[in-house]
Amino acid sequence: MNMKLLQFEMHGDERGNLIALEQYTDIPFEMKRIYYIFDTLSDVRRGFHAHKELKQLIICIKGSCKIFLDDGYEKEIVELNSCAEGLYIYSPIWREMFDFSDDAVLIVIASGYYEEKDYIRNYDEFLDYLEGE
Ligand code: TYD
């Protein structure tokens, strides 16, 4: 599947931990937007879309959650539970987020501004889009 789990360098010492992410070094694209998802109820499933062009790096900086990924051929569930790990999605992949822990905070770094026309929110349209690519 066209996604990668990236590992970030931890700068830890007796005072605690620190992770720094730099554009192009750790974030593999020019970033335009950051948003975060928090206070999500554990029985909530969200996402249910794919993006045509947008690249995203998804980091669960606190708690944990699962992400169901489907590229039209393969399906996979990735658990994010470490702030030193980021899920990099760079091609049209259907995603659904679920199983949020109470304290889960998901930070998403995106390559583009919020644009509804980049979203595919219907699964059958997603499969049609892949056919046409
Ligand atoms: P939504 O796309 O439903 O989130 P998810 O894919 O995680 O289920 O977004 C929720 C609301 O937030 C919706 O009204 C659109 C708005 N929104 C923005 O205004 N800017 C953004 O960058 C994002 C991601 C969402």
Side-chain angles (χ1 to χ4, degrees):
M1 187 166 315
N2 279 333
M3 55 84 178
K4 281 184 191 145
L5 270 175
L6 306 182
Q7 304 298 327
F8 307 130
E9 194 183 342
M10 191 105 80
H11 302 277
D13 57 29
E14 65 285 349
R15 298 170 300 168
N17 288 321
L18 184 154
I19 291 174
L21 304 180
E22 293 193 1
Q23 179 170 269
Y24 302 136
T25 310
D26 311 283
I27 299 160
F29 50 82
E30 187 179 277
M31 49 178 140
K32 291 267 171 48
R33 176 169 52 116
I34 294 176
Y35 61 92
Y36 29 103
I37 295 171
F38 54 99
D39 287 349
T40 308
L41 299 178
S42 59
D43 58 350
V44 161
R45 205 168 170 103
R46 58 184 305 165
F48 296 96
H49 63 256
H51 285 284
K52 295 174 187 166
E53 301 291 340
L54 191 75
K55 298 185 175 98
Q56 289 183 311
L57 182 59
I58 306 174
I59 306 163
C60 190
I61 58 156
K62 193 166 173 60
S64 64
C65 82
K66 294 189 179 118
I67 307 190
F68 167 79
L69 302 165
D70 177 347
D71 65 1
Y73 301 93
E74 289 176 83
K75 298 178 201 312
E76 202 171 319
I77 291 173
V78 172
E79 178 165 5
L80 293 180
N81 56 19
S82 163
C83 54
E85 189 171 76
L87 174 65
Y88 175 34
I89 303 179
Y90 49 91
S91 62
I93 291 182
W94 185 264
R95 81 283 307 260
E96 296 170 20
M97 287 94 85
F98 64 104
D99 254 5
F100 288 84
S101 64
D102 284 347
D103 57 348
V105 180
L106 217 57
I107 291 223
V108 184
I109 302 167
S111 65
Y113 301 115
Y114 178 69
E115 266 189 298
E116 195 51 44
K117 67 177 185 336
D118 190 65
Y119 279 77
I120 308 168
R121 292 193 184 270
N122 174 286
Y123 186 74
D124 290 332
E125 274 174 32
F126 166 64
L127 296 179
D128 289 346
Y129 180 82
L130 292 179
E131 292 267 307
E133 262 208 318

